[in-house]
Each structure stands twice: as structure tokens, then as C-alpha cells.
Amino acid sequence: MKKRIKKIAIVGFIIFLLLQCYQPARNIGYEQYFSANFTEMYKVPKSVEMTLRNSCYDCHSDNTNYPWYSYIQPVRFFMDGHINEGKKELNFNEFGNYSNRKQENKLDRIKKQIKKDEMPLKSYTLIHRNAILSTTQKREILNWITKIQDSLATEN
């Protein structure tokens, strides 16, 4: 019985080590300029921009700041899944490429998710404590988005 457990442990460890060889491309746009970037389209106040970059951009942009543990599989698989899902739902770097209707819809969804404390995800803020939105940060973002929505409504 002990031999069998030892063999299983050795095989498991070898599989774990082999998984470490797989390091897929990272979601990093480096110093790339994104002309369709959310912050380029709208006059985003610095405080709101910093909050969005700190709490949202890791999963909702083309520039993720990867922590040290992202080099360990299977953690990286889970992170990539969250990033891909987040970018599919909303990508701040591609915001300008969305239709006006889609932009309005995304702004509305951002407001609703912030009000309901659905974003940033609890699984993200568990490790990234500095990404938790304070009441003041929420208010700043919500007020600013309301102003943008009002200006979009007058344009249409």
C-alpha cells in the first residue's frame, strides 16, 4: 500500500513539474498605445482612472499585471480563464470600437455591478486587497459614468 501511494505521489509530482513547462502568452500590450482606450475616449478624472486601472484593468484590458504566482500551473489556467472571460465581457482598451449602443450598455452594466458589489470579483479582491472599491471610489465612478451617459444621451 505504501509503495502504491509513493508511486502515485511521484507520478503526480512529475505531472506537476511538466505542467510548469507550459507558459502561454501573457495578456500584456507593453507600451502599446490604444487609441480606442476608454481613458482616451472620455476625459476620465485621474482618480477614476487610477481606480479603474487598479481594480478593473487586470481582467478588463490588454495589460494584465501578473503576480509571481502566475508562473505556477494550474493557477495560471484559472487566471487566464478569468482574464479571457473579463475581456470578452468588457475590454477597456477596445471600448472605442464598440457601437454607441454597446458603449451605453457597458456603462450601465458597470454602474449596476458596482452598486451590487459584483465587481471586482470576490476571488480577485481576496488576494488583491487594494482592488476593493471604497465608498468614495464607488461614488466617484458612478457619478462620472452618469455624466458620460448624460453626454451620450444628448449626442443621440
Side-chain angles (χ1 to χ4, degrees), residues 14-130:
I14 290 171
I15 290 171
F16 175 77
L17 287 177
L18 288 174
L19 275 173
Q20 304 318 302
C21 295
Y22 177 66
Q23 292 293 322
R26 292 181 174 268
N27 183 46
I28 300 176
Y30 298 104
E31 298 301 317
Q32 184 176 348
Y33 176 75
F34 299 102
S35 61
N37 193 340
F38 185 72
T39 57
E40 295 294 323
M41 292 191 55
Y42 302 108
K43 301 288 187 251
V44 182
K46 266 295 180 210
S47 60
V48 172
E49 181 179 354
M50 294 309 296
T51 300
L52 291 175
R53 288 188 185 280
N54 185 53
S55 299
C56 309
Y57 268 52
D58 276 350
C59 294
H60 294 285
S61 78
D62 294 327
N63 282 307
T64 300
N65 291 316
Y66 286 94
W68 65 268
Y69 54 83
S70 68
Y71 290 94
I72 301 170
Q73 298 295 4
V75 174
R76 178 67 181 279
F77 291 126
F78 294 116
M79 286 181 70
D80 284 345
H82 278 281
I83 293 166
N84 291 333
E85 187 177 322
K87 283 175 55 176
K88 181 177 150 192
E89 198 59 40
L90 169 66
N91 187 340
F92 283 110
N93 295 131
E94 298 293 326
F95 199 84
N97 296 331
Y98 297 160
S99 68
N100 286 346
R101 183 176 177 191
K102 188 172 183 178
Q103 287 180 19
E104 290 172 13
N105 182 35
K106 294 298 179 188
L107 289 170
D108 193 49
R109 293 285 297 146
I110 291 169
K111 282 176 62 174
K112 286 178 181 174
Q113 289 185 337
I114 288 174
K115 285 179 183 177
K116 292 181 181 179
D117 286 327
E118 292 176 353
M119 285 291 162
L121 293 175
K122 301 292 183 228
S123 60
Y124 182 75
T125 58
L126 184 67
I127 297 171
H128 302 91
R129 305 301 293 167
N130 62 337

